Amino acid sequence: MMMQAAPIPAAPSEPYAYVKDPLVKVEQPVLEVTSEPHILQDLSTVDRLFITKRLRVRSVLFLRGKKNRFFVRTSDQNLVYTIEEQNSWWVGYFCYGLRPLQLHVRDCTGTEVMRINRPYACTSRILPCQLQRIQVFSPPGTKIGSIEQVWTAVRPEYVVSRENGARIFWISGPRVTISCFRDIQFHIYNTDGTSVGSTIKRWQGILHAMFLAPVTDRFGVAFDRDLSVEDKALLLAATLLLDYMYYDV
């Protein structure tokens, strides 16, 4: 007896059912990428800095070394940075303004935002083969550039370079750097010769020069507002170097 096979069902008119729209819409989370502020952000909107130097007299009297403290303010007298000098106790008594040192730059929160290293070196008029050179790190451990002295017979000159060695500024001073009854300016130029700014050492009177100059002093630096914060930091470091070179007694 033969068994009858079951009939094959007809193929559906639509073999696959496509879902045109999802039944439930799932919203994708939006990730907000927030960039951390630059460690030198306090320099982003300034075009000049005023620096007050004070000698730590107690350290000198108790033979702990000759060390300076700097207060960096904006034109509206807002405190931006406090700078502390660190060196060996004996170098300040023998090397004076040429002493090797390290400067720690801290912001208003106490965070160290920059560090300046200066080895011992002579001036160009004494030993031309061993000129001044400082290195600038921001944050500490990351080099952003350096300032080097150039040998000249009359006018003092310095070159400001980035970490890769590319020169960005050069600084030219007057023939006579003694601040006597006048302000002293060091002019800052781009590599193409255009003026970028200047540093200035203020004359504060004969009584200050005779009695207070070794203890406290004031100077400043002005530059283009559009410069990067790294370039402004390098010019600040160059201004500190000029003070040690010519006005630290």
Side-chain angles (χ1 to χ4, degrees), residues 167-186:
R167 297 185 175 184
I168 51 176
F169 306 118
W170 62 279
I171 303 173
S172 177
R175 292 185 177 89
V176 179
T177 58
I178 300 175
S179 177
C180 186
F181 298 98
R182 65 190 182 106
D183 297 339
I184 300 296
Q185 278 190 326
F186 285 74

Side-chain angles (χ1 to χ4, degrees), residues 63-187:
L63 300 180
R64 297 175 182 174
K66 185 179 180 181
K67 300 177 182 179
N68 291 321
R69 177 179 293 159
F70 302 88
F71 301 94
V72 183
R73 292 180 171 87
T74 59
S75 56
D76 52 3
Q77 295 302 310
N78 288 330
L79 182 63
V80 182
Y81 298 132
T82 301
I83 305 175
E84 297 281 351
E85 176 184 347
Q86 180 181 357
N87 57 42
S88 299
W89 69 270
W90 58 271
V91 295
Y93 302 110
F94 299 98
C95 302
Y96 297 97
L98 297 178
R99 61 185 179 272
L101 53 84
Q102 192 174 77
L103 297 177
H104 301 271
V105 184
R106 293 181 171 86
D107 61 10
C108 296
T109 64
T111 303
E112 186 175 4
V113 299
M114 185 167 60
R115 186 175 298 174
I116 303 171
N117 290 339
R118 180 198 186 193
Y120 176 79
C122 294
T123 63
S124 59
R125 299 174 184 177
I126 298 178
L127 191 61
C129 61
Q130 191 183 15
L131 302 180
Q132 294 290 320
R133 185 175 187 270
I134 63 174
Q135 294 182 330
V136 185
F137 301 85
S138 179
T142 303
K143 183 179 177 181
I144 63 173
S146 61
I147 297 93
E148 299 182 25
Q149 186 182 21
V150 180
W151 186 89
T152 55
V154 182
R155 289 181 178 270
E157 291 188 3
Y158 296 82
V159 174
V160 182
S161 306
R162 289 199 175 100
E163 74 282 356
N164 56 3
R167 297 185 175 184
I168 51 176
F169 306 118
W170 62 279
I171 303 173
S172 177
R175 292 185 177 89
V176 179
T177 58
I178 300 175
S179 177
C180 186
F181 298 98
R182 65 190 182 106
D183 297 339
I184 300 296
Q185 278 190 326
F186 285 74
H187 297 280

Side-chain angles (χ1 to χ4, degrees), residues 35-81:
S35 59
E36 295 184 0
H38 198 282
I39 194 171
L40 297 172
Q41 64 173 343
D42 294 329
L43 299 177
S44 58
T45 59
V46 300
D47 58 357
R48 63 189 63 224
L49 295 171
F50 297 92
I51 306 169
T52 302
K53 179 179 69 174
R54 293 179 183 174
L55 176 66
R56 299 170 64 178
V57 180
R58 184 178 300 178
S59 298
V60 177
L61 295 178
F62 289 94
L63 300 180
R64 297 175 182 174
K66 185 179 180 181
K67 300 177 182 179
N68 291 321
R69 177 179 293 159
F70 302 88
F71 301 94
V72 183
R73 292 180 171 87
T74 59
S75 56
D76 52 3
Q77 295 302 310
N78 288 330
L79 182 63
V80 182
Y81 298 132

